[in-house]
Coordinates of all heavy atoms in Angstrom, one line a residue:
M1 N -10.8 4.5 -2.5 CA -10.0 3.5 -1.9 C -10.9 2.4 -1.4 O -11.9 2.6 -0.7 CB -9.3 4.1 -0.7 CG -7.8 3.9 -0.7 SD -7.0 4.6 0.8 CE -6.2 5.9 0.1
G2 N -10.5 1.1 -1.7 CA -11.3 0.0 -1.3 C -10.9 -0.4 0.1 O -10.1 0.2 0.8
P3 N -11.7 -1.4 0.7 CA -11.5 -1.7 2.1 C -10.1 -2.3 2.4 O -9.5 -2.1 3.4 CB -12.5 -2.8 2.4 CG -13.2 -3.1 1.1 CD -12.8 -2.1 0.1
M4 N -9.5 -3.0 1.4 CA -8.1 -3.5 1.6 C -7.1 -2.3 1.7 O -6.2 -2.4 2.5 CB -7.7 -4.4 0.4 CG -8.5 -5.7 0.4 SD -8.1 -6.7 -0.9 CE -6.4 -7.2 -0.5
S5 N -7.3 -1.3 1.0 CA -6.4 -0.1 1.0 C -6.5 0.5 2.4 O -5.4 0.9 2.9 CB -6.8 0.9 -0.1 OG -6.7 0.3 -1.3
W6 N -7.6 0.7 3.0 CA -7.7 1.3 4.3 C -7.0 0.4 5.3 O -6.4 0.9 6.2 CB -9.2 1.5 4.7 CG -9.8 2.7 4.0 CD1 -10.8 2.7 3.1 CD2 -9.4 4.0 4.2 NE1 -11.1 3.9 2.7 CE2 -10.2 4.8 3.3 CE3 -8.5 4.7 4.9 CZ2 -10.1 6.2 3.2 CZ3 -8.3 6.0 4.8 CH2 -9.2 6.8 4.0
T7 N -7.1 -0.9 5.2 CA -6.4 -1.8 6.1 C -4.9 -1.5 6.0 O -4.2 -1.5 7.0 CB -6.7 -3.3 5.7 OG1 -8.1 -3.4 5.8 CG2 -6.1 -4.2 6.7
N8 N -4.4 -1.4 4.8 CA -3.0 -1.2 4.6 C -2.5 0.2 5.2 O -1.5 0.3 5.8 CB -2.6 -1.2 3.2 CG -2.7 -2.6 2.6 OD1 -2.7 -3.6 3.3 ND2 -2.7 -2.7 1.3
V9 N -3.4 1.2 5.1 CA -3.1 2.5 5.7 C -3.1 2.4 7.2 O -2.2 2.9 7.9 CB -4.1 3.6 5.2 CG1 -4.0 4.9 6.0 CG2 -4.0 3.8 3.7
I10 N -4.0 1.7 7.8 CA -4.1 1.5 9.2 C -2.8 0.8 9.7 O -2.2 1.2 10.7 CB -5.4 0.8 9.6 CG1 -6.6 1.7 9.4 CG2 -5.3 0.4 11.1 CD1 -7.9 1.1 9.5
D11 N -2.4 -0.3 9.0 CA -1.2 -1.0 9.4 C 0.0 -0.1 9.3 O 0.9 -0.2 10.2 CB -1.1 -2.2 8.5 CG -2.1 -3.3 8.8 OD1 -2.7 -3.3 9.9 OD2 -2.3 -4.2 7.9
A12 N 0.1 0.7 8.3 CA 1.2 1.6 8.1 C 1.3 2.6 9.3 O 2.4 2.8 9.9 CB 1.1 2.4 6.8
Y13 N 0.2 3.1 9.7 CA 0.1 4.1 10.9 C 0.6 3.4 12.1 O 1.2 3.9 13.0 CB -1.2 4.7 11.0 CG -1.4 5.9 10.1 CD1 -2.5 5.9 9.2 CD2 -0.6 7.0 10.2 CE1 -2.7 7.0 8.3 CE2 -0.8 8.1 9.3 CZ -1.8 8.1 8.4 OH -2.0 9.1 7.6
R14 N 0.1 2.1 12.3 CA 0.5 1.3 13.5 C 2.1 1.2 13.5 O 2.7 1.3 14.5 CB -0.1 0.0 13.5 CG -1.6 0.0 13.9 CD -2.1 -1.4 14.1 NE -3.5 -1.3 14.4 CZ -4.5 -1.9 13.8 NH1 -4.2 -2.8 12.9 NH2 -5.7 -1.8 14.1
Q15 N 2.6 0.9 12.4 CA 4.1 0.7 12.3 C 4.8 2.0 12.6 O 5.8 2.0 13.3 CB 4.5 0.2 10.9 CG 5.9 -0.2 10.7 CD 6.3 -1.4 11.6 OE1 5.5 -2.4 11.7 NE2 7.4 -1.3 12.3
V16 N 4.3 3.1 12.1 CA 4.9 4.4 12.4 C 4.8 4.7 13.9 O 5.8 5.1 14.5 CB 4.2 5.5 11.6 CG1 4.6 6.9 12.1 CG2 4.5 5.4 10.1
G17 N 3.7 4.4 14.5 CA 3.5 4.6 15.9 C 4.5 3.8 16.7 O 5.1 4.3 17.7
S18 N 4.8 2.6 16.3 CA 5.7 1.7 16.9 C 7.1 2.3 16.8 O 7.9 2.3 17.8 CB 5.7 0.3 16.3 OG 6.8 -0.5 16.8
Y19 N 7.5 2.8 15.7 CA 8.8 3.4 15.5 C 9.0 4.6 16.3 O 10.0 4.9 17.0 CB 9.1 3.7 14.0 CG 9.7 2.6 13.2 CD1 9.2 1.3 13.1 CD2 10.9 2.9 12.6 CE1 9.8 0.3 12.5 CE2 11.6 1.9 11.9 CZ 11.0 0.6 11.8 OH 11.7 -0.4 11.2
V20 N 7.9 5.5 16.3 CA 8.0 6.7 17.1 C 8.2 6.4 18.6 O 9.0 7.0 19.3 CB 6.7 7.6 16.9 CG1 6.7 8.8 17.8 CG2 6.7 8.1 15.4
G21 N 7.4 5.4 19.1 CA 7.5 5.0 20.4 C 8.9 4.6 20.8 O 9.4 4.9 21.9
R22 N 9.5 3.8 19.9 CA 10.9 3.3 20.2 C 11.9 4.5 20.2 O 12.8 4.5 21.0 CB 11.3 2.3 19.1 CG 10.5 1.0 19.3 CD 10.6 0.1 18.1 NE 11.8 -0.8 18.2 CZ 12.1 -1.7 17.3 NH1 11.3 -1.9 16.3 NH2 13.2 -2.4 17.5
I23 N 11.7 5.4 19.3 CA 12.6 6.6 19.2 C 12.4 7.4 20.5 O 13.4 7.9 21.1 CB 12.4 7.4 18.0 CG1 12.8 6.6 16.7 CG2 13.1 8.8 18.0 CD1 12.4 7.2 15.4
L24 N 11.2 7.6 20.9 CA 10.9 8.4 22.1 C 11.5 7.8 23.4 O 11.8 8.4 24.4 CB 9.5 8.7 22.3 CG 8.8 9.6 21.3 CD1 7.3 9.7 21.5 CD2 9.4 11.0 21.4
K25 N 11.7 6.4 23.3 CA 12.3 5.7 24.5 C 13.8 5.7 24.4 O 14.4 5.0 25.2 CB 11.7 4.3 24.5 CG 10.3 4.2 24.9 CD 9.7 2.8 24.9 CE 8.3 2.8 25.2 NZ 7.7 1.4 25.1
G26 N 14.4 6.3 23.4 CA 15.8 6.5 23.3 C 16.5 5.7 22.2 O 17.7 5.8 22.0
A27 N 15.8 4.9 21.4 CA 16.4 4.2 20.3 C 16.9 5.2 19.2 O 16.2 6.2 19.0 CB 15.4 3.2 19.7
K28 N 18.0 4.9 18.6 CA 18.5 5.7 17.5 C 17.8 5.3 16.2 O 17.8 4.1 15.9 CB 20.0 5.6 17.4 CG 20.8 6.1 18.6 CD 22.3 5.9 18.4 CE 23.0 6.4 19.6 NZ 24.4 6.1 19.5
P29 N 17.3 6.2 15.4 CA 16.6 5.8 14.2 C 17.5 4.9 13.3 O 17.0 4.0 12.7 CB 16.3 7.1 13.5 CG 16.2 8.1 14.7 CD 17.2 7.6 15.7
A30 N 18.8 5.2 13.2 CA 19.7 4.4 12.4 C 19.8 2.9 12.8 O 20.1 2.1 12.1 CB 21.0 5.0 12.3
D31 N 19.5 2.7 14.1 CA 19.6 1.3 14.7 C 18.3 0.5 14.5 O 18.3 -0.7 14.7 CB 19.9 1.4 16.1 CG 21.3 1.9 16.4 OD1 22.1 1.9 15.4 OD2 21.6 2.4 17.5
L32 N 17.2 1.2 14.1 CA 15.9 0.5 13.9 C 15.9 -0.3 12.6 O 16.5 0.1 11.6 CB 14.8 1.5 13.9 CG 14.5 2.2 15.2 CD1 13.4 3.2 15.1 CD2 14.2 1.2 16.4
P33 N 15.3 -1.5 12.6 CA 15.3 -2.3 11.4 C 14.4 -1.7 10.3 O 13.5 -1.0 10.6 CB 14.8 -3.7 11.9 CG 13.9 -3.3 13.1 CD 14.6 -2.1 13.7
V34 N 14.8 -2.0 9.1 CA 13.9 -1.6 8.0 C 12.8 -2.6 7.8 O 13.1 -3.8 7.8 CB 14.8 -1.5 6.7 CG1 13.9 -1.2 5.5 CG2 15.8 -0.4 6.8
V35 N 11.6 -2.2 7.8 CA 10.5 -3.1 7.7 C 9.9 -3.0 6.3 O 9.6 -1.9 5.8 CB 9.4 -2.7 8.7 CG1 8.2 -3.7 8.6 CG2 9.9 -2.8 10.1
Q36 N 9.9 -4.2 5.6 CA 9.3 -4.2 4.3 C 7.9 -4.6 4.4 O 7.5 -5.4 5.3 CB 10.1 -5.2 3.4 CG 11.5 -4.7 3.2 CD 12.3 -5.7 2.3 OE1 11.9 -6.8 2.2 NE2 13.3 -5.2 1.7
A37 N 7.1 -4.2 3.4 CA 5.7 -4.5 3.3 C 5.6 -6.0 3.2 O 6.3 -6.7 2.4 CB 5.0 -3.8 2.1
S38 N 4.6 -6.6 3.8 CA 4.4 -8.0 3.7 C 3.3 -8.4 2.8 O 3.0 -9.5 2.4 CB 4.1 -8.6 5.1 OG 3.0 -8.0 5.7
K39 N 2.5 -7.3 2.4 CA 1.4 -7.5 1.5 C 1.4 -6.4 0.5 O 1.6 -5.3 0.8 CB 0.1 -7.5 2.3 CG -1.1 -7.7 1.5 CD -2.4 -7.8 2.4 CE -3.6 -8.0 1.5 NZ -4.8 -8.0 2.3
F40 N 1.1 -6.8 -0.7 CA 1.1 -5.8 -1.8 C -0.3 -5.9 -2.5 O -0.9 -7.0 -2.6 CB 2.2 -6.1 -2.8 CG 3.6 -5.9 -2.3 CD1 4.3 -7.0 -1.7 CD2 4.1 -4.7 -2.3 CE1 5.5 -6.8 -1.2 CE2 5.4 -4.5 -1.7 CZ 6.1 -5.5 -1.2
E41 N -0.8 -4.8 -3.0 CA -2.0 -4.7 -3.7 C -1.8 -4.3 -5.1 O -1.0 -3.4 -5.4 CB -2.9 -3.7 -3.0 CG -4.2 -4.1 -2.4 CD -4.9 -3.0 -1.8 OE1 -5.7 -2.4 -2.5 OE2 -4.7 -2.7 -0.6
L42 N -2.6 -4.9 -6.0 CA -2.6 -4.5 -7.4 C -3.9 -3.8 -7.7 O -4.9 -4.3 -7.7 CB -2.4 -5.7 -8.3 CG -2.5 -5.4 -9.8 CD1 -1.4 -4.4 -10.3 CD2 -2.4 -6.7 -10.6
V43 N -3.8 -2.5 -7.9 CA -4.9 -1.6 -8.3 C -4.7 -1.1 -9.7 O -3.6 -0.5 -9.9 CB -5.1 -0.5 -7.2 CG1 -6.3 0.4 -7.6 CG2 -5.3 -1.0 -5.8
I44 N -5.6 -1.3 -10.5 CA -5.5 -0.9 -11.9 C -6.6 0.2 -12.2 O -7.8 0.0 -11.9 CB -5.7 -2.0 -12.9 CG1 -4.7 -3.1 -12.7 CG2 -5.8 -1.5 -14.3 CD1 -4.9 -4.3 -13.5
N45 N -6.1 1.4 -12.7 CA -7.0 2.4 -13.0 C -7.3 2.3 -14.5 O -6.6 2.8 -15.4 CB -6.4 3.8 -12.7 CG -7.4 4.9 -12.8 OD1 -8.3 4.9 -13.7 ND2 -7.3 5.9 -12.0
A46 N -8.4 1.6 -14.8 CA -8.7 1.2 -16.2 C -9.1 2.5 -17.0 O -8.9 2.6 -18.2 CB -9.9 0.2 -16.2
E47 N -9.8 3.4 -16.3 CA -10.2 4.7 -17.0 C -9.0 5.4 -17.5 O -8.9 5.9 -18.6 CB -11.0 5.5 -16.0 CG -11.5 6.8 -16.6 CD -12.3 7.7 -15.6 OE1 -12.4 7.3 -14.5 OE2 -12.7 8.8 -16.0
T48 N -8.0 5.6 -16.6 CA -6.7 6.3 -17.0 C -6.0 5.5 -18.1 O -5.5 6.1 -19.1 CB -5.8 6.5 -15.8 OG1 -6.5 7.3 -14.8 CG2 -4.5 7.2 -16.2
A49 N -6.0 4.2 -18.0 CA -5.4 3.4 -19.1 C -6.0 3.6 -20.4 O -5.3 3.8 -21.4 CB -5.4 1.9 -18.7
R50 N -7.4 3.7 -20.4 CA -8.1 4.0 -21.7 C -7.7 5.3 -22.2 O -7.5 5.5 -23.4 CB -9.6 3.8 -21.5 CG -10.1 2.4 -21.5 CD -11.6 2.4 -21.6 NE -12.3 2.9 -20.4 CZ -12.5 2.3 -19.2 NH1 -12.1 1.0 -19.1 NH2 -13.0 2.9 -18.2
M51 N -7.7 6.3 -21.3 CA -7.4 7.7 -21.8 C -6.0 7.8 -22.3 O -5.7 8.6 -23.2 CB -7.5 8.7 -20.6 CG -9.0 8.9 -20.2 SD -9.3 10.3 -19.1 CE -8.2 10.0 -17.8
L52 N -5.1 7.0 -21.9 CA -3.7 6.9 -22.4 C -3.6 6.0 -23.6 O -2.5 5.9 -24.2 CB -2.7 6.4 -21.3 CG -2.6 7.4 -20.1 CD1 -1.8 6.7 -19.0 CD2 -1.9 8.7 -20.5
G53 N -4.7 5.4 -24.0 CA -4.6 4.5 -25.2 C -4.0 3.1 -24.9 O -3.5 2.5 -25.8
L54 N -4.0 2.8 -23.6 CA -3.4 1.5 -23.2 C -4.5 0.4 -23.1 O -5.6 0.7 -22.6 CB -2.6 1.6 -21.9 CG -1.5 2.7 -21.8 CD1 -1.0 2.8 -20.4 CD2 -0.4 2.3 -22.8
T55 N -4.1 -0.8 -23.4 CA -5.0 -1.9 -23.2 C -4.4 -2.8 -22.1 O -3.3 -3.3 -22.2 CB -5.1 -2.8 -24.5 OG1 -5.6 -1.9 -25.5 CG2 -6.1 -3.9 -24.3
V56 N -5.2 -3.0 -21.0 CA -4.8 -3.8 -19.9 C -5.3 -5.2 -20.2 O -6.4 -5.5 -20.4 CB -5.4 -3.3 -18.6 CG1 -4.9 -4.2 -17.4 CG2 -5.0 -1.9 -18.4
P57 N -4.3 -6.2 -20.3 CA -4.7 -7.6 -20.6 C -5.7 -8.1 -19.6 O -5.7 -7.8 -18.4 CB -3.4 -8.3 -20.5 CG -2.3 -7.3 -20.6 CD -2.9 -6.0 -20.0
A58 N -6.7 -8.9 -20.1 CA -7.7 -9.5 -19.2 C -7.2 -10.3 -18.1 O -7.7 -10.2 -17.0 CB -8.7 -10.3 -20.1
P59 N -6.1 -11.1 -18.2 CA -5.6 -11.8 -17.1 C -5.1 -10.9 -16.0 O -5.2 -11.2 -14.8 CB -4.5 -12.7 -17.7 CG -4.8 -12.8 -19.1 CD -5.5 -11.5 -19.5
L60 N -4.5 -9.8 -16.3 CA -4.1 -8.8 -15.3 C -5.3 -8.2 -14.6 O -5.2 -8.0 -13.4 CB -3.2 -7.8 -16.0 CG -2.4 -6.8 -15.1 CD1 -1.5 -7.6 -14.2 CD2 -1.7 -5.8 -15.9
L61 N -6.3 -7.9 -15.4 CA -7.5 -7.3 -14.7 C -8.1 -8.3 -13.8 O -8.6 -8.0 -12.7 CB -8.5 -6.9 -15.8 CG -8.2 -5.7 -16.6 CD1 -9.2 -5.5 -17.8 CD2 -8.2 -4.4 -15.8
A62 N -8.1 -9.6 -14.2 CA -8.7 -10.7 -13.3 C -7.9 -10.9 -12.0 O -8.5 -11.2 -11.0 CB -8.7 -12.0 -14.1
T63 N -6.6 -10.6 -12.0 CA -5.8 -10.8 -10.8 C -5.7 -9.6 -9.9 O -5.2 -9.7 -8.8 CB -4.4 -11.3 -11.1 OG1 -3.8 -10.3 -12.0 CG2 -4.4 -12.6 -11.9
A64 N -6.2 -8.4 -10.4 CA -6.1 -7.2 -9.7 C -7.0 -7.3 -8.4 O -8.1 -7.9 -8.4 CB -6.6 -6.0 -10.5
D65 N -6.5 -6.7 -7.3 CA -7.3 -6.6 -6.1 C -8.4 -5.6 -6.3 O -9.5 -5.7 -5.7 CB -6.4 -6.1 -4.9 CG -5.3 -7.2 -4.6 OD1 -5.7 -8.3 -4.3 OD2 -4.1 -6.8 -4.7
E66 N -8.2 -4.5 -7.1 CA -9.2 -3.5 -7.3 C -9.0 -2.9 -8.7 O -7.9 -2.7 -9.2 CB -9.1 -2.4 -6.3 CG -10.1 -1.3 -6.4 CD -10.0 -0.3 -5.3 OE1 -9.1 -0.4 -4.4 OE2 -10.7 0.7 -5.4
V67 N -10.1 -2.7 -9.5 CA -10.1 -2.1 -10.8 C -10.9 -0.8 -10.7 O -12.1 -0.9 -10.4 CB -10.6 -3.1 -11.9 CG1 -10.6 -2.3 -13.2 CG2 -9.7 -4.3 -11.9
I68 N -10.3 0.3 -11.0 CA -11.0 1.6 -11.0 C -11.5 1.8 -12.4 O -10.7 1.9 -13.3 CB -10.1 2.7 -10.5 CG1 -9.6 2.4 -9.1 CG2 -10.8 4.0 -10.6 CD1 -8.5 3.3 -8.7
E69 N -12.8 1.9 -12.6 CA -13.4 2.1 -13.9 C -13.6 3.6 -14.2 O -14.0 4.4 -13.4 CB -14.8 1.4 -14.0 CG -14.6 -0.1 -14.0 CD -13.9 -0.6 -15.3 OE1 -14.0 0.0 -16.3 OE2 -13.3 -1.7 -15.2

């Protein structure tokens, strides 16, 4: 996992903690808003793609946040 991935995991745990805190204070889970991710990461596993016989286009590789070789 790259450094960006760890940041996303930490942010997810913070969000979970916020929800748990609100529920413990009496909020009904059904009344809590749905939070959508504000940041998305593109990670390409090039090794698996090769094993599957897939060719990942160079422009896609260039825009990936992380490429696993």
Side-chain angles (χ1 to χ4, degrees):
M1 231 184 250
M4 290 179 69
S5 298
W6 282 114
T7 302
N8 290 344
V9 170
I10 291 169
D11 288 340
Y13 279 120
R14 282 189 187 129
Q15 188 65 44
V16 168
S18 172
Y19 268 59
V20 170
R22 291 166 86 178
I23 291 168
L24 291 174
K25 290 178 184 176
K28 294 180 183 176
D31 295 338
L32 294 176
V34 175
V35 178
Q36 294 181 338
S38 60
K39 183 177 181 184
F40 295 92
E41 241 182 89
L42 174 60
V43 179
I44 297 172
N45 190 325
E47 181 181 0
T48 300
R50 279 192 296 277
M51 288 192 307
L52 294 171
L54 302 173
T55 302
V56 180
L60 190 58
L61 288 170
T63 59
D65 295 301
E66 183 178 353
V67 176
I68 300 169
E69 291 294 334

